């Protein structure tokens, strides 16, 4: 097992050393191939996603296929400019020198995916890695086996087999893979696994990007258009049956808001999924028996009051969209990230109390605020910390390629999407090309040192010393 | 509770009050830091003299000059760095605010090094303060005099709860590393860097590691050897070679080796006189342990210049070793001392191969008139930075990111890079609850028609700067009307 993964990594390293991934044309052709791979096989991909998560076609198209195609278009359109050297401002002493930052690939990188968006969580980082000129090992999640198989089958068909490899398998195979040396490890998943990945990365001083999770709070406060808020909240919560790292995990609102919200929530649920969500083709399923059992246990053990649905079916891995009220802060639903279609609503007496509640907990991946009052939005924004922030909607902030997508603190380290993916897999190398002239000016810095030389040097080396004549 | 735990707890409590955030506060603290450097110039240079034997001028040139520049830059540009950074939008977010907001991380741990105890410990602090963080400063115990001055005097100028100085050795550092930080900034060796990263793993703490390595220096036949050797001599023997970005070893063709030796010998005499031992502007090795280590490295190699030493003073003369073999002791680890080995190679091809057969260094140096050759070495090697035709000076350009890659480190700083490194770049999307019509195509029940609209609106990028505000609004209204008509009214 170990020698197998070692052979893969060695092959990719040899390919990287040959320089084949460096030219813009190569990167462009591989990215274009990746686009063809998805477009040519969209049906097969959607089928696999449906097998793994009963993903409705609509959700799969938007959140798996299109997000990748979109990022590919974006990368192809901007690749040339991303690859350009970035000239920087200089001081007087270096005025005649060339100072720029060169973007260079890191080498052989490892991308470990997760099961909730099994396609885009491996392919989106891969776009950044390819665009930056690296060789890539993909390790899709084994918990979403149908998608794992499709990725393992299609990638070698469309992309260079010398430079990119897919390694499938479970915990043992991943451990074996991690014993190799990589130039960057990109991991999406849980905090506990992230810790052991970091330990392994430390051995080789390998930099990492960690896209983790947490409980994303959703504050609904002040004057609110309850109907619109409910629709957007329900859409983002129950998309993929709540199995999104940026799904609003729980709601914080006043008792009055909760009372106004509940009928709107019930109406939205019925508008979206009908009276029998199990029969709706637009509602997903839980990925595995293990996770289904975990979620059903939460519903059994909660001391809150279930006010919407709560039904489940093990054979179908179905759990109905569920809303729970009268949830206390030490309820079992508040112990860890829910990652399922259960929405607890907690009440607060003031916005300050809500903010304190959020700040006593780990920094989440996303933070949401619904309010017509911009002062409410700003107060929460300025007094909390989170990977990303979105007011009056959910999830959408991750569809903007200009915004870095990542966590902070326990929710992660680093970011990607769009240019940020390119930068993640890039080394920014400072380059300075000095001339041979002006050796007399250089003389100021040589020993023996003297006071007057020092004051000249201060002037020429200061960043503000830009002489207009030059 | 240990002293370390207490300091971290106090720093966190102080950070949570929010007082390190207002820009005015950050600027005030940085101005105090500037005052500290100018008012305590004597104390600082005395400490450095006792630590590494550096003269007062050398301290100013290599420690405080750069530091003062960084502080002034941060004060000047802070408002710009800390402001929200707008980004491009998609069609459906056209009327929303989309930007990246730099925010403080919280409590940062800065572990300094002993070779430039002030520059390397306080420059990261400038970034930390500018970004609005609290910072625990752990100066290197090896430069004990500087550490003491920092511990005694810094609290008189900076907020001592937000920026405590915690001095101590290995045990104290280990105790510190058990605490939870929001970022750890470490400067030092790769060996300890691995331990720091491992300790940080427990709390999932991100790290910046400024490490070392053997920075190669290739001298092409086609160059002005006199100027090249003068610049290399300066870069190598500053601080007695105890500089992370010093040219560690030279690669050149055998045909020019004796000229190189001759020119370096000339420059050594020009800079440090015939007797560097008595010359004020030539330093000392930091301590006995490193002195012995460096002396051992010399074993088995031919001394071409210098070679003399005095253990009682931790003095090693500026030394050049020639015809050095690849398997020799001096080529096994980062020298970090005044020994300059010359390894001969058949040309730039072999030089590139040689460099690539080793860990990625902090810097690759090339001296040549041939710009094609220079470009080739850039393209075919990897290193933290690359500098052609000089040594060290890229450090002074604050717009260049300063850091390593691979074994030489991760992350970078200087200027805005320091600010960005110690900030969290928070993605912000500020929407309003109106314009619900445009949203509706993404809600279930899903239809093929809704899907095509959603694909178009949600994911297409628009270059907003090209669109007039009026045209944008008109387009959105038209869109909203169209969508409302199609989806909200029809069944």
């Amino acid at each position: 097992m170990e020698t197998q993964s070692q052979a893969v990594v060695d092959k990719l390293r040899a390919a990287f050393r040959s320089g084949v991934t460096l030219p813009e044309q190569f990167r462009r052709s591989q990215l274009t191939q990746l686009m063809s791979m998805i477009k040519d096989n969209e049906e097969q991909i959607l089928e696999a996603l449906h097998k793994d998560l009963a993903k409705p076609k609509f959700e799969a198209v938007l959140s798996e296929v299109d997000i990748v195609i979109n990022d590919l278009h974006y990368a192809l359109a901007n690749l040339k400019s991303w690859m350009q050297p970035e000239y920087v401002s200089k001081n007087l002493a270096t005025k005649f020198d060339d100072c720029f930052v060169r973007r260079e690939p890191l080498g052989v990188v490892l991308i470990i995916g997760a099961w909730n968006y099994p396609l885009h969580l491996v392919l989106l980082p891969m776009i950044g890695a390819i665009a930056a000129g690296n060789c890539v090992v993909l390790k899709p999640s084994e918990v979403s086996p149908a998608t794992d198989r499709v990725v393992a089958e299609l990638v070698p068909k469309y992309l260079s087999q010398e430079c990119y490899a897919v390694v499938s398998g479970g915990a043992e195979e991943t451990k074996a893979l991690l014993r190799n040396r990589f130039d960057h490890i990109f991991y999406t998943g849980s905090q506990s696994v992230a810790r052991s990945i970091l330990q392994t990365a430390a051995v080789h001083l390998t930099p990492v990007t960690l896209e983790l999770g947490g409980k994303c709070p959703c504050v609904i406060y002040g004057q609110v258009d309850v109907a619109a808020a409910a629709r957007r909240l329900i859409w983002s919560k129950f998309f993929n049956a709540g199995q999104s790292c940026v799904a609003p995990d729980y709601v914080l609102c006043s008792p009055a808001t909760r009372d106004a919200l509940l009928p709107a929530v019930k109406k939205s649920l019925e508008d979206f999924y009908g009276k029998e969500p199990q029969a709706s083709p637009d509602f997903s399923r839980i990925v595995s028996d293990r996770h289904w059992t975990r979620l059903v246990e939460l519903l059994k053990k909660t001391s809150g009051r279930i006010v919407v649905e709560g039904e489940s079916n093990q054979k179908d891995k179905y759990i109905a969209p569920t809303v729970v009220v009268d949830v206390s802060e030490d309820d079992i639903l508040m112990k860890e990230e829910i990652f399922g279609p259960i929405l607890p609503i907690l009440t607060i007496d003031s916005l300050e109390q809500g903010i304190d509640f959020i700040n006593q907990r780990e920094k989440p991946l996303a933070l949401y605020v619904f309010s017509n009052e911009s002062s409410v939005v700003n107060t929460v924004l300025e007094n909390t910390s989170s990977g990303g922030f979105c007011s009056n909607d959910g999830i959408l902030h991750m569809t903007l390629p200009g915004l870095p997508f990542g966590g902070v603190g326990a929710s992660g380290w680093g970011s990607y999407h769009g240019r940020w993916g390119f930068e993640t897999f890039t080394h920014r190398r400072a380059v300075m090309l000095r001339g041979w002239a002006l050796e007399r000016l250089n003389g100021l810095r040589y020993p023996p040192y003297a006071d007057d030389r020092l004051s000249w040097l201060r002037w020429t080396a200061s960043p503000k010393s830009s002489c207009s004549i030059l | 509770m240990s002293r370390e735990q207490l300091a971290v707890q106090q720093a966190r409590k102080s950070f949570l009050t929010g007082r390190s955030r207002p820009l005015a506060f950050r600027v005030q603290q940085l101005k105090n830091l500037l005052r500290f450097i100018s008012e305590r110039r004597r104390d600082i240079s005395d400490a450095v003299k006792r630590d590494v034997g550096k003269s007062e001028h050398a301290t100013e040139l290599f420690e405080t000059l750069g530091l003062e520049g960084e502080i002034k830059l941060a004060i000047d540009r802070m408002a710009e760095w800390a402001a929200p950074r707008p980004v491009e939008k998609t069609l459906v977010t056209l009327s929303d605010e989309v930007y990246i907001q730099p925010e403080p991380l919280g409590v940062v741990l800065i572990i300094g090094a002993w070779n430039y105890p002030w520059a390397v410990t306080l420059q990261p602090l400038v970034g930390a303060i500018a970004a609005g963080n609290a910072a625990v400063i752990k100066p290197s115990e090896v430069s004990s005099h500087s550490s003491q001055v920092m511990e005694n005097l810094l609290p008189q100028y900076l907020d001592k709860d937000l920026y405590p100085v915690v001095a101590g050795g290995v045990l104290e550092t280990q105790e510190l590393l058990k605490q939870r930080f929001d970022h750890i900034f470490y400067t030092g060796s790769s060996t300890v860097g691995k331990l720091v990263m491992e300790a940080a793993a427990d709390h999932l703490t991100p790290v910046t590691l400024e490490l070392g390595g053997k920075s190669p220096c290739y001298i092409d036949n086609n160059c002005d050897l006199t100027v090249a050797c003068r610049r290399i001599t300066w870069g190598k023997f500053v601080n007695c070679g105890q500089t992370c970005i010093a040219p560690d070893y030279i690669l050149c063709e055998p045909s020019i080796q004796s000229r190189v030796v001759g020119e370096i010998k000339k420059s050594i005499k020009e800079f440090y006189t015939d007797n560097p031992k008595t010359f004020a502007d030539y330093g000392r090795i930091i301590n006995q342990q490193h002195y012995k280590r460096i002396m051992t490295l010399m074993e088995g190699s031919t001394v071409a210049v210098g070679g003399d030493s005095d253990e009682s003073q931790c003095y090693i003369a500026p030394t050049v070793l020639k015809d050095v073999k690849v398997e020799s002791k001096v080529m096994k680890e980062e020298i970090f001392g005044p020994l300059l080995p010359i390894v001969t190679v058949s040309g730039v091809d072999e030089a590139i191969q040689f460099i690539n057969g080793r860990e990625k260094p902090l810097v690759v140096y090339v001296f040549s008139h041939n710009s094609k050759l220079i470009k080739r070495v850039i393209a075919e090697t990897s290193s933290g930075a690359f500098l052609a035709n000089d040594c060290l000076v890229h450090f002074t350009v604050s717009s260049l990111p300063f850091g390593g890659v691979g074994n030489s480190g991760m992350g970078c700083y200087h200027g805005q890079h320091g600010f960005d490194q110690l900030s969290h770049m928070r993605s912000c999307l500020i929407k309003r609850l109106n314009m619900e019509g445009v949203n509706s195509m993404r809600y279930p029940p899903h239809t093929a028609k809704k899907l095509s609209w959603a694909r178009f609106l949600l994911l297409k990028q628009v270059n907003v700067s090209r669109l007039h505000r009026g045209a944008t609004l008109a387009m959105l209204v038209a869109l909203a009307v169209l969508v409302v008509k199609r989806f909200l009214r029809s069944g």
Side-chain angles (χ1 to χ4, degrees), chain B residues 291-303:
Chain B
Y291 170 89
K292 289 197 173 103
R293 179 186 66 81
I294 298 166
M295 291 306 290
T296 314
L297 291 181
M298 247 200 287
E299 290 168 15
S301 295
T302 314
V303 174

Side-chain angles (χ1 to χ4, degrees), chain A residues 66 70 89 106 195 231-232 363 386 389 391-393 404 429-430 432 434 439 445 449 451 458, chain B residues 57 60 105 180 202 231 281 360 378 383 386 388 390 399 424 427 429 431 436 439 442 455 459:
Chain A
D66 269 14
N70 208 54
S89 59
L106 295 168
R195 269 185 205 101
R231 265 197 299 272
R232 297 179 188 190
K363 296 176 186 177
S386 60
F389 179 92
S391 68
N392 295 318
D393 214 327
R429 189 181 193 189
M432 187 164 168
R434 290 218 83 186
E439 185 58 8
R445 74 189 196 205
Y449 303 129
D451 275 332
R458 281 174 161 272
Chain B
H57 284 127
E60 195 160 339
L105 288 167
R180 185 176 184 180
D202 251 353
R231 295 179 181 186
D281 292 332
K360 297 175 185 177
I378 295 176
S383 57
F386 179 94
D390 209 335
S399 48
H424 169 51
S427 294
L429 173 58
K431 297 191 69 157
E436 187 57 0
N439 258 349
R442 76 192 199 204
R455 291 180 97 151
L459 300 172

Side-chain angles (χ1 to χ4, degrees), chain A residues 104-146:
Chain A
E104 302 181 348
L106 295 168
V108 180
V109 306
L110 171 63
I111 297 171
I112 302 176
W115 52 260
N116 54 337
Y117 293 89
L119 188 77
H120 103 230
L121 288 176
V122 280
L123 294 188
L124 261 186
M126 191 183 200
I127 295 172
I130 295 176
N134 300 282
C135 286
V136 187
V137 175
L138 284 189
K139 165 70 192 71
S141 170
E142 71 281 11
V143 181
S144 41

Side-chain angles (χ1 to χ4, degrees), chain A residues 22 42 56 58 61-62 65-67 70 74 88-91 94 99-102 104 106 181 183 191 194-195 198-199 201-207 210 212 224-225 228-229 231-232 235 271-273 282 362-363 367 370-372 377 381-382 384-393 396-397 399-404 407-410 413 420 427-437 439 442 445-451 454 457-458 461 463-464, chain B residues 21 41 55 57-58 60-62 65 68 73 76 87-90 93 98-100 103 105 180 182 190 193-194 197-198 201-202 204-207 209 211 223-224 227-228 230-231 234 270-272 279 281 359-360 364 367-369 374 378-379 381-390 393-394 396-397 399-401 404-407 410 412 417 424-434 436 439 441-446 450-451 454-455 458-459 461:
Chain A
L22 301 180
E42 191 171 302
F58 189 94
V61 166
L62 277 188
V65 172
D66 269 14
I67 196 170
N70 208 54
Y74 191 79
V88 301
S89 59
K90 306 176 269 199
N91 51 43
T94 49
C99 291
F100 57 94
V101 177
R102 198 164 181 267
E104 302 181 348
L106 295 168
R181 184 178 184 179
D183 300 293
Q191 277 148 22
R195 269 185 205 101
L198 253 183
Q199 300 274 4
V203 172
H204 297 296
L205 285 171
T206 301
L210 305 172
L212 310 177
V224 185
D225 174 352
R231 265 197 299 272
R232 297 179 188 190
W235 178 79
D271 284 345
F272 291 175
Y273 307 116
D282 299 329
E362 295 295 344
K363 296 176 186 177
L367 216 169
F370 283 83
S371 181
N372 285 348
V377 173
L381 178 57
E382 285 162 23
T384 57
S385 183
S386 60
F389 179 92
C390 181
S391 68
N392 295 318
D393 214 327
L396 275 198
H397 63 291
T399 63
L400 290 147
L403 288 178
V408 64
W413 173 2
W420 304 97
H427 167 52
R428 286 186 303 155
R429 189 181 193 189
V431 179
M432 187 164 168
L433 307 177
R434 290 218 83 186
W436 292 92
E439 185 58 8
N442 258 356
R445 74 189 196 205
Y446 297 141
Y449 303 129
D451 275 332
L454 199 51
L457 262 174
R458 281 174 161 272
K464 278 169 93 165
Chain B
R21 288 171 174 258
R41 212 172 282 285
S55 66
H57 284 127
E60 195 160 339
L61 189 54
F62 297 106
L65 191 62
E68 285 170 315
L73 184 69
D76 213 38
V87 301
E88 24 182 305
K89 314 183 199 184
T90 52
T93 48
V98 185
Y99 59 90
I100 299 167
E103 297 183 340
L105 288 167
R180 185 176 184 180
D182 299 290
S190 304
K194 289 179 186 173
M197 192 171 167
E198 226 177 85
D202 251 353
L204 290 172
T205 301
V207 302
L209 304 174
L211 310 176
C223 81
D224 184 335
V227 175
R230 189 184 293 135
R231 295 179 181 186
W234 174 77
E270 194 185 313
F271 296 164
Y272 306 115
F279 188 61
D281 292 332
E359 293 293 345
K360 297 175 185 177
V364 167
F367 284 80
S368 177
H369 280 314
I374 292 174
I378 295 176
T381 61
S382 181
S383 57
F386 179 94
L387 182 39
N389 304 325
D390 209 335
V393 290
H394 62 295
T396 69
V397 182
S399 48
L400 285 175
V405 66
N407 236 49
M410 57 180 83
C412 62
H417 305 290
H424 169 51
M425 296 300 166
R426 191 181 194 186
S427 294
C428 296
L429 173 58
I430 310 296
K431 297 191 69 157
R432 271 160 295 168
L433 282 168
N434 54 3
E436 187 57 0
N439 258 349
M441 85 268 335
R442 76 192 199 204
Y443 299 141
H446 301 314
K450 277 193 187 181
L451 184 54
R455 291 180 97 151
L458 268 177
L459 300 172
Q461 275 90 62

Side-chain angles (χ1 to χ4, degrees), chain A residues 41-74:
Chain A
N41 300 281
E42 191 171 302
E43 275 315 307
Q44 191 187 2
I45 291 172
L46 293 177
E47 237 177 73
L49 289 166
H50 192 85
K51 244 202 189 127
D52 284 331
L53 286 143
K55 243 187 238 255
K57 177 172 168 177
F58 189 94
E59 286 188 9
V61 166
L62 277 188
S63 69
E64 294 266 45
V65 172
D66 269 14
I67 196 170
V68 175
I69 302 240
N70 208 54
D71 212 66
L72 277 165
H73 277 300
Y74 191 79

